Amino acid sequence: MSAPGLNSNMPSNLKQEALVKLRVKLEAGLHEMGLTITPEQQQKLLDYVALIYKWNQVHNLTAVREPLDMITLHILDSLSVLPYVDCKRLLDVGAGAGLPSIVLAICLPDLQVTAIDAVQKKVSFMRQAKAQLGLTNFNVIHGRIEEQEVPSKEMGEKFDVIISRAFSEIGLFVKLTKHLLADGGKWLAMKGVIPLHEFDKSGLQPSDIKVLKVAGLDAERHLIVLKQA
């Protein structure tokens, strides 16, 4: 039987006490970061963490093993970019377990989110999460980003925003995805410290750098914004 607070169709491998701690940590983090999302969205985020935790025990999706750490390092970290996502169509490159794409799809239901990854087990997980979380605005592609074409069956049109979280160096990120970015679109690269060496190496200069605040994380986080030349 599922613990209270967890949807009946979600994995029941987390005990009620653990679920309460996850909820408290998520709510505190949202408050500290000044973010407001609905109770239903908060529940979906907790269901998502439970699903990662279940799959992680078999498939090794992420290096983060503990659900409480996932709230900080996965959910709140992904939510830190929420104020800077203002578009209709977003592509997450090298999405892994769906970070930040699934988090953004949950919290921005009017945003059309596409995630791509070359690793089959991660794609399978994201498709399972899409089904169990009921994310009608979320699409998953298995493949290499440089091999994708627009228009195609899976990518009907180009994207307003292309985002990555620890995918590659900025120069390679832009090079591999520039054919998929719509006119007037922008790249968002989630980074730790400001990667000055990546700017020097690629010759690219950001149009903006946002300092990201992640509740519970004592480390530098930045969002590098690049626009088409």
Side-chain angles (χ1 to χ4, degrees), residues 37-184:
I37 62 174
T38 69
E40 292 78 14
Q41 290 167 339
Q42 291 185 41
Q43 184 60 54
K44 282 193 176 184
L45 291 173
L46 294 173
D47 291 344
Y48 175 44
V49 168
L51 197 58
I52 295 176
Y53 177 69
K54 181 179 181 180
W55 274 60
N56 223 21
Q57 294 175 64
V58 178
H59 298 285
N60 195 31
L61 287 174
T62 81
V64 182
R65 312 303 298 182
E66 296 299 322
L68 278 172
D69 292 335
M70 291 177 191
I71 293 291
T72 300
L73 299 174
H74 289 339
I75 306 303
L76 295 176
D77 185 64
S78 294
L79 284 170
S80 68
V81 304
L82 196 60
Y84 308 112
V85 176
D86 182 17
C87 62
K88 294 181 179 179
R89 290 174 49 77
L90 177 141
L91 174 65
D92 181 11
V93 179
L99 301 160
S101 48
I102 288 179
V103 174
L104 295 176
I106 289 171
C107 297
L108 299 171
D110 293 331
L111 176 66
Q112 292 299 313
V113 179
T114 297
I116 183 169
D117 202 282
V119 180
Q120 180 62 61
K121 69 179 179 182
K122 295 178 180 179
V123 170
S124 296
F125 169 78
M126 288 191 285
R127 287 176 175 158
Q128 182 73 14
K130 169 185 168 69
Q132 291 198 221
L133 298 170
L135 299 178
T136 58
N137 62 328
F138 182 59
N139 181 47
V140 184
I141 298 173
H142 177 227
R144 301 184 65 83
I145 189 62
E146 63 270 25
E147 296 173 357
Q148 305 307 307
E149 296 181 355
V150 174
S152 65
K153 180 180 178 181
E154 294 184 306
M155 290 186 178
E157 54 186 299
K158 294 185 178 183
F159 297 88
D160 309 314
V161 168
I162 301 179
I163 195 169
S164 71
R165 180 178 180 262
F167 168 65
S168 71
E169 289 192 355
I170 286 173
L172 185 60
F173 172 46
V174 170
K175 179 182 178 181
L176 294 180
T177 61
K178 60 184 178 182
H179 64 295
L180 302 174
L181 188 68
D183 291 342

Side-chain angles (χ1 to χ4, degrees), residues 3-24:
L6 192 66
N7 290 346
S8 59
N9 64 331
M10 296 303 296
S12 56
N13 54 318
L14 289 173
K15 295 181 180 179
Q16 182 180 358
E17 181 182 356
L19 291 168
V20 171
K21 289 181 180 179
L22 292 178
R23 185 180 300 280
V24 169

